[in-house]
Structure formats: structure tokens, C-alpha cells
Amino acid sequence: MPPTNVCLIGAGRAGALHATNVHRYVPDARMTAIVDDDAARAADVAAGLDAKPFATLAAAIAGADIDAVVIATPTFTHRDLAVEALEAGLHVFCEKPMALSAAECDDMSHAAAAAGRVLQIGYVRRYQPEFVEAFARIANGDIGDVTMVKSLTRGPGLPPAWAHDIALSNGMLAEVNSHCFDTVRWMTGSEVTRVYAEVANHKGERNGITVEGFYDTAVVTLRFASDAVGVVDGVCPAQYGYDARVEVIGTEGLITIGDTLGMPVLTCVDRSVGGTRPVHKTWPERFSWGYVHEITGFVDAVRGGEMNGPDGVDGKRAVEIVVAANRSWQETRPVELVGAAA
Ligand SMILES: NC(=O)c1ccc[n+]([C@@H]2O[C@H](COP(=O)([O-])OP(=O)(O)OC[C@H]3O[C@@H](n4cnc5c(N)ncnc54)[C@H](O)[C@@H]3O)[C@@H](O)[C@H]2O)c1
């Protein structure tokens, strides 16, 4: 079988990582096209990957061999780009959050079903080894029935400027914590039925962000159809490091996932002061293996293997939770998720 030809759309932070991972770690695939409306970025990422740069997806379809696309553009572009790619018969890996609204997610899923093509959403934690191991233990019944789940994500840097505007991104609950919302659904095996969110803006002014609705700190309490309860929190920017941890409490025990500490390296210089150990510094470092496994899994599914990654339903559910949580803090009330199934 010939290699799968992949086109990246959006050669920014996440896109450049995916393109490099395909090039380095996925022998069954090759990068043939890099699309970015910033020509310099497209050319920069294409150089070294033996791929051609393009300004639009239409130009790439006309000028390169393509079987599948990786969409890593800002959230507000996901729906149109995914539908365009699927209608052209291409398989789609789309970065999280899937889109801005449940209706946009439906458009994408309907286009995938009509075309008979793979649509996978970039919830990388589903491929990160310690998350996979924890899920297997929960599924095995090691901690009994899940009664409570807590998931936190704190990122060190400000997201790109477009993500500061909740109209374009749905804010930090989407950009950062949608990973948590997907994780808590996965770990509980149940749907969120009610949320209550509090958010705050502690560092926006200091960072020159004046756009209305910006927040950098959030806590969301969750109720699940199974009667489990949960908490998700986020801080971004959190200068102390990249921090992603989960606790799952069951009727018979506890599973924890993740650690603030990075590499097991300890420096001791002065015994009266103690030692220092590195913390996780960035998301590409924290989830480095997850990113490789998820893009490998996508290529496998495109090549006829089982599609076992997060799909359009998973993507839509996370978007629904984000939208409900934003409504919750805006209206200072708990919000029910209509139609959430057990
Ligand atoms: N899975 C993860 O851990 C993770 C991490 C970071 C970002 N992301 C997601 O990846 C997506 C991109 O985020 P980012 O931080 O890489 O953004 P970014 O701003 O760094 O990069 C986006 C790129 O898309 C390009 N672009 C914008 N509109 C375009 C269009 N219509 N056509 C072609 N190119 C276009 C921009 O020029 C830019 O180069 C978002 O959905 C974000 O949530 C996921």
C-alpha cells in the first residue's frame, strides 16, 4: 500500500508539531502539503518536510497529492475547513475544540458520514500512556464504580491572540479545559448533565489583554448522568509550568494520573536549602508520546484500521460542556445540558 499523503492546514504551534511527528514517526505517511494563510509560516514548515506550501486548501487540493488533512487552525475556522476537506473526499484529523457550537459539530459529522471518511478530534490525552493505563484499570473495575472525578490543566503561556476573544474561541474553558471535559467523560463513562462555572480575570491587564469576556482562571463543577460528580479547573497563564493531573475516585479506591514534576532529576547544592527537580514546562513536552500515538492512530484508521480515537460525538459533547459552562458564569447559575445521555 502506498504511503498516506497528508496535508497540514494551519502551520502554527499545534500544526507544526503534528507535521513534524508525521514526518519523523509515521512511516506509512508523508507530508505533501502545508497550508497557511501566512505564506512565510507555510514555507517555513514545508521546508525540511519535503512538502509544498499553499495559501488555501483549494490550492493544495489542486497542486498536491492528498489523502488526509490535519486541521490545526483557530477554532472558528474548523467547521468550514473540515466540511471542505470531507466534501473533497479527504479524511480529517481536526484539533480540539472541534468547533464553536454543537450545530457546527453536527455539520462536520454529517459531512464525514456522507463522504464515508474518518473524522478524528485531537483529544491527545486519549493516547497518552498513563491516561490509557488509568482508563484500562477503571474499565477493569479496579476502583469499583466511579463516584467523583477531578481534572485540572494549567498552561504556562498565553494562547495566541485569537484565543483571547471568547467569540472566536469560547475562551480558556475551550482552549485549555476542553481536554479535561473529554477526559472526565472518558474516565466516568458517563455524560455531563449539569455544570456550574466560576471564572476570573487576574492577569489579563498585566498581559495587555483588554478584550471583553477574557478570563484566565476557572473552576467548573459537574454532575454526570451516572450520579458521579466532578470538578475541572484551569489557569492560563500559570508561570510555574504545564500542569495536567487527574484524580478518579471510585466506590473501592482511587486512581491518580500525572505529576507536576517532569524528569526524575534532582539537583542538590546546599543541604540547608534542599533540592530542586524540574517541573513539566510545556504541553508538547508533557504529552509528547500522546501526540505521536494520536497521529499514528489517525493514519492507521485512514489506512483501513479501526477508528478508535475520539470522534465527532466526543468532540461535540466537549463543545456542549464548554458552551454550557460559559453560559453558567455569564448568567451566574447552574446550566443543564439538554439531551445528555447516560
Ligand atoms: N491538542 C493540543 O494539545 C493543542 C495544543 C495547542 C493548540 N491546539 C489547538 O490547535 C488549534 C490551533 O492552535 P495554535 O495554538 O496552533 O494556533 P496558532 O495561532 O499558533 O496557529 C494557527 C495557524 O493557522 C493559520 N490560519 C488561520 N486561519 C487559517 C485559514 N483559514 N487557513 C489556513 N491557515 C490559517 C494561522 O496563520 C496560524 O499559522 C486550535 O484549535 C487549538 O485549540 C491543540
Side-chain angles (χ1 to χ4, degrees):
M1 200 175 184
T4 299
N5 298 313
V6 181
C7 167
L8 168 68
I9 315 172
R13 303 183 314 162
L17 177 72
H18 289 308
T20 304
N21 280 343
V22 169
H23 184 69
R24 284 192 188 153
Y25 298 115
V26 190
D28 291 334
R30 63 182 176 195
M31 296 304 306
T32 53
I34 307 293
V35 174
D36 201 297
D37 55 10
D38 178 333
R41 277 196 187 184
D44 190 38
V45 173
L49 300 181
D50 207 17
K52 292 185 200 167
F54 296 94
T56 63
L57 174 58
I61 290 170
D65 289 332
I66 303 172
D67 303 307
V69 298
V70 170
I71 298 175
T73 50
T75 310
F76 62 90
T77 68
H78 289 182
R79 183 254 173 224
D80 287 357
L81 288 168
V83 169
E84 182 182 349
L86 290 159
E87 287 181 348
L90 306 175
H91 300 275
V92 171
F93 175 95
C94 182
E95 260 304 344
K96 48 54 64 178
M98 183 170 172
L100 286 176
S101 67
E104 287 190 344
C105 296
D106 285 340
D107 291 345
M108 293 163 70
S109 290
H110 293 152
R117 294 294 185 265
V118 175
L119 171 61
Q120 181 173 325
I121 309 303
Y123 282 115
V124 62
R125 296 176 191 188
R126 299 232 186 188
Y127 289 90
Q128 181 70 13
E130 67 273 23
F131 282 69
V132 172
E133 174 65 19
F135 175 74
R137 293 182 186 196
I138 293 165
N140 191 47
D142 291 9
I143 59 166
D145 297 330
V146 174
T147 55
M148 182 159 74
V149 60
K150 297 179 164 188
S151 177
L152 64 84
T153 304
R154 292 121 191 207
L158 277 173
W162 60 264
H164 304 167
D165 185 346
I166 62 170
L168 300 180
S169 69
N170 277 334
M172 192 191 75
L173 287 170
E175 261 308 290
V176 174
N177 290 118
S178 64
H179 284 295
C180 296
F181 297 134
D182 182 66
T183 296
V184 298
R185 288 184 60 245
W186 181 33
M187 295 293 164
T188 58
S190 183
E191 297 297 350
V192 172
T193 56
R194 184 166 62 235
V195 299
Y196 178 72
E198 291 283 0
V199 304
N201 176 2
H202 290 293
K203 299 181 189 168
E205 199 176 327
R206 188 200 301 180
N207 287 301
I209 300 169
T210 52
V211 60
E212 196 183 338
F214 175 81
Y215 53 92
D216 51 29
T217 306
V219 177
V220 184
T221 58
L222 309 160
R223 179 150 211 110
F224 293 84
S226 66
D227 250 5
V229 292
V231 180
V232 161
D233 87 47
V235 178
C236 190
Q239 72 286 349
Y240 71 84
Y242 187 87
D243 195 0
R245 287 175 279 145
V246 179
E247 268 190 65
V248 188
I249 297 108
T251 48
E252 314 304 327
L254 161 75
I255 284 180
T256 70
I257 311 169
D259 199 333
T260 314
L261 297 172
M263 286 177 284
V265 174
L266 173 68
T267 305
C268 300
V269 177
D270 178 342
R271 66 182 176 173
S272 68
V273 174
T276 58
R277 285 189 57 183
V279 296
H280 288 296
K281 291 180 182 152
T282 65
W283 50 266
E285 171 258 310
R286 172 68 180 82
F287 289 108
S288 54
W289 280 111
Y291 292 113
V292 172
H293 293 317
E294 75 170 344
I295 213 69
T296 303
F298 171 65
V299 170
D300 286 348
V302 166
R303 295 171 72 79
E306 194 185 341
M307 160 58 188
N308 52 18
D311 61 12
V313 173
D314 296 310
K316 178 181 169 180
R317 293 287 179 244
V319 168
E320 287 173 333
I321 300 168
V322 166
V323 169
N326 275 336
R327 183 173 302 151
S328 171
W329 68 259
Q330 285 163 339
E331 298 178 8
T332 58
R333 66 178 179 89
V335 172
E336 308 280 338
L337 277 89
V338 180

